[in-house]
Amino acid sequence: MRLDTNSNVDFKAFDSSSSSSGIIVKLDNLATWGGSQKTDTRLPITDYSTLGGPRHNCSPFPLSKDVNNRLVIWDGDMTTLEVDAITNSSDETLTESNSISERIIAVAGNQLKEELSTTVKECRIGDVRVTRGYNLPAKYVLHTVAPAYKEKLKTAAENALHCCYRNVLCKAKELNLRTIAVCNVSGNQKSFPADVAAHIALPDDDSDVSPHDMEGNNSDLEYGARDMNGLSLNSYSSGLQAQIQRDLDRQHLLSDRPIAGIYESVVADGIESPEHQDRYERLLQRAQVEDLTEVSGIGCLYQSGVDRLGRPVIVFCGKWFPAQNIDLEKALLYLIKLLDPIVKGDYVIAYFHTLTSTNNYPSLHWLREVYSVLPYKYKKNLKAFYIVHPTFWTKMMTWWFTTFMAPAIKAKVHSLPGVEHLYSAITKDQLEIPAYITEYDMATNGLHYFNPVPTAS
């Protein structure tokens, strides 16, 4: 059963000794949403008679008694609920002063406050930290940090708030909890519009943890976190759990189903959602420990000197990229391993399309997902992307991709008919390229067909 604390009542109004004096609310005494009588008269009933009749042949929000019977709307002091865990909304230092956190710490006692200050210390926006409940009826407290809402960064804020609720439920599943009280995480201090926050907080069947996973005859929370084959993840080693995470990453990267709204949260100002940051960190850690010799040994991607402004040059040879016969996940990991230390500052990329065939083309879906996975610093610090020996088809696809999928780098892409056009930006001794490229270039364009004008450094 999930208990949603969605009350406007200030917890300070309750007697701070309520829990210690034995006032504990048991779940058996609470009516579920599906079984309770709708007697709340605080809000007037909406009259739809003036709207000209129903706009749908059937309800867009069909009734689900199974789901409703697992939910309770609790209007009261959350610290009196006898549940496995309750949630606390705080800031990144876990010291925010608000009615929810103050009430929880007051009832739990100084031990909780000490654990937060000495052991936990911090929590990033969208993340979850777990502490004991101490004097609370609840066994655990799940602490999370909601983002502040700004209209300019609306998408990033909504994704981060979604991460708060999703990660709370994921942590509950990981701890094998059966009952959890979820408060209004966004709160008044975050300036989140109430209607927007409410829709984000509502369970969604497409989310990673659906309300259907909560308590019931086939409850994941009741019997432990399970994989699709029904095996308990609690008995898995950390290595196998890492394998499961790799499978999820691979599914996101290679799936034909578009991922909506998660990685697209990178906005013009470079604000990224916690989930986007976390996934990149996971991929970076894997890139540093996994064996990627099958990709690095191909030699299609490498660093080659610096340009005339001292910026590192990354070379990619399209002909040598076996897109149809390579593990694309490992290709992404190698890309991250090579570029992560470089993209902390300005850099340029030289892509040679010379003699590239259709067998060397990865799908546009894969390119879009790679572009989405890479953090903002990759786009911001990329100063030029040179495409040498492009075909007409390459130019068309480049225009389409940068217009509709990667507008942040559109102005940085330059198509060049030959290698010598690069010399305006990169000196010849700094450009290490395979012989087949220079041979094709000389056969197509002749010798010394372009004399670049030296630029002042």
Side-chain angles (χ1 to χ4, degrees):
M1 182 181 294
R2 198 182 84 177
L3 307 174
D4 283 324
T5 300
N6 194 14
S7 172
N8 293 322
V9 179
D10 191 341
F11 291 145
K12 293 179 181 178
F14 291 92
D15 180 7
S16 63
S17 62
S18 59
S19 290
S20 60
S21 63
I23 301 177
I24 296 177
V25 178
K26 296 182 178 295
L27 299 185
D28 294 339
N29 298 328
L30 300 177
T32 64
W33 177 246
S36 62
Q37 296 295 325
K38 309 303 185 296
T39 58
D40 191 343
T41 59
R42 289 177 299 174
L43 296 176
I45 298 176
T46 304
D47 181 8
Y48 293 98
S49 61
T50 61
L51 299 180
R55 292 180 296 172
H56 305 277
N57 294 326
C58 59
S59 172
F61 308 105
L63 174 67
S64 175
K65 293 182 179 180
D66 185 44
V67 173
N68 289 347
N69 287 332
R70 298 170 188 166
L71 300 175
V72 170
I73 305 300
W74 171 253
D75 186 1
D77 185 356
M78 185 170 60
T79 63
T80 64
L81 294 172
E82 189 177 56
V83 292
D84 289 337
I86 64 174
T87 56
N88 175 33
S89 177
S90 188
D91 60 8
E92 291 178 278
T93 62
L94 298 173
T95 59
E96 182 177 88
S97 178
N98 63 63
S99 58
I100 295 176
S101 59
E102 286 181 356
R103 178 62 182 164
I104 290 175
I105 292 175
V107 176
N110 290 331
Q111 290 175 298
L112 174 57
K113 192 172 184 179
E114 182 178 353
E115 182 177 356
L116 289 174
S117 61
T118 61
T119 304
V120 181
K121 296 182 180 179
E122 62 181 3
C123 178
R124 292 192 302 177
I125 294 175
D127 282 356
V128 174
R129 296 291 181 267
V130 182
T131 63
R132 293 173 54 191
Y134 297 101
N135 297 330
L136 291 163
K139 299 175 184 176
Y140 300 99
V141 180
L142 307 184
H143 307 264
T144 188
V145 180
Y149 183 88
K150 293 182 180 179
E151 186 63 33
K152 182 180 179 181
L153 306 177
K154 176 181 177 181
T155 301
E158 291 177 355
N159 287 336
L161 182 59
H162 170 77
C163 287
C164 291
Y165 289 107
R166 187 187 70 88
N167 288 336
V168 162
L169 296 181
C170 286
K171 182 60 67 174
K173 190 172 185 179
E174 178 184 326
L175 294 173
N176 197 26
L177 307 182
R178 296 182 59 192
T179 57
I180 176 174
V182 183
C183 68
N184 177 11
V185 171
S186 55
N188 294 331
Q189 290 178 278
K190 305 299 181 179
S191 302
F192 241 96
D195 56 338
V196 175
H199 281 283
I200 294 173
L202 287 175
D204 184 348
D205 284 345
D206 290 331
S207 63
D208 292 337
V209 181
S210 169
H212 296 286
D213 291 334
M214 310 303 278
E215 186 177 8
N217 292 334
N218 297 312
S219 169
D220 287 344
L221 290 189
E222 183 174 0
Y223 297 107
R226 299 173 183 271
D227 65 356
M228 289 184 293
N229 295 321
L231 300 177
S232 174
L233 296 182
N234 294 332
S235 62
Y236 278 44
S237 66
S238 59
L240 188 51
Q241 290 191 18
Q243 178 62 47
I244 292 172
Q245 185 59 61
R246 287 195 293 270
D247 292 341
L248 290 174
D249 287 340
R250 184 179 181 85
Q251 178 181 350
H252 284 309
L253 182 64
L254 303 181
S255 171
D256 291 331
R257 183 174 65 88
I259 301 176
I262 297 179
Y263 307 113
E264 289 79 356
S265 61
V266 182
V267 295
D269 289 346
I271 304 299
E272 297 167 335
S273 71
E275 182 165 343
H276 181 271
Q277 298 170 10
D278 289 344
R279 186 183 178 207
Y280 179 76
E281 289 299 324
R282 291 199 307 269
L283 292 172
L284 178 59
Q285 291 174 5
R286 290 178 51 197
Q288 293 170 342
V289 299
E290 291 191 19
D291 182 8
L292 303 176
T293 52
E294 81 172 74
V295 181
S296 61
I298 297 173
C300 63
L301 182 68
Y302 55 91
Q303 181 180 351
S304 174
V306 296
D307 70 357
R308 292 181 182 272
L309 297 179
R311 301 174 298 198
V313 177
I314 303 300
V315 171
F316 183 78
C317 302
K319 179 185 177 182
W320 286 355
F321 183 64
Q324 309 302 320
N325 301 306
I326 195 174
D327 187 333
L328 291 177
E329 185 187 23
K330 287 194 173 183
L332 171 61
L333 293 178
Y334 179 68
L335 175 69
I336 291 174
K337 181 178 181 179
L338 177 67
L339 292 186
D340 185 77
I342 296 174
V343 299
K344 295 176 181 178
D346 296 346
Y347 70 105
V348 300
I349 294 178
Y351 165 61
F352 292 89
H353 193 68
T354 317
L355 300 177
T356 299
S357 68
T358 55
N359 292 328
N360 305 122
Y361 298 161
S363 68
L364 279 176
H365 170 78
W366 184 80
L367 290 175
R368 180 191 64 187
E369 294 305 321
V370 169
Y371 180 83
S372 299
V373 165
L374 298 180
Y376 176 70
K377 61 183 179 181
Y378 280 76
K379 294 91 169 178
K380 175 179 179 292
N381 294 331
L382 174 64
K383 298 308 175 183
F385 191 109
Y386 303 106
I387 302 178
V388 183
H389 298 142
T391 62
F392 174 77
W393 178 249
T394 305
K395 293 179 181 179
M396 289 294 296
M397 294 307 297
T398 300
W399 175 87
W400 188 88
F401 183 81
T402 56
T403 299
F404 299 105
M405 292 186 178
I409 65 171
K410 184 177 179 66
K412 303 176 182 181
V413 177
H414 310 279
S415 294
L416 305 178
V419 176
E420 290 193 4
H421 288 270
L422 277 176
Y423 295 159
S424 293
I426 308 169
T427 59
K428 189 173 183 179
D429 63 304
Q430 292 291 319
L431 191 61
E432 180 183 352
I433 56 177
Y436 82 88
I437 293 178
T438 54
E439 291 172 0
Y440 172 87
D441 192 66
M442 288 188 293
T444 303
N445 298 312
L447 295 174
H448 308 302
Y449 52 88
F450 180 72
N451 294 316
V453 178
T455 58
S457 58

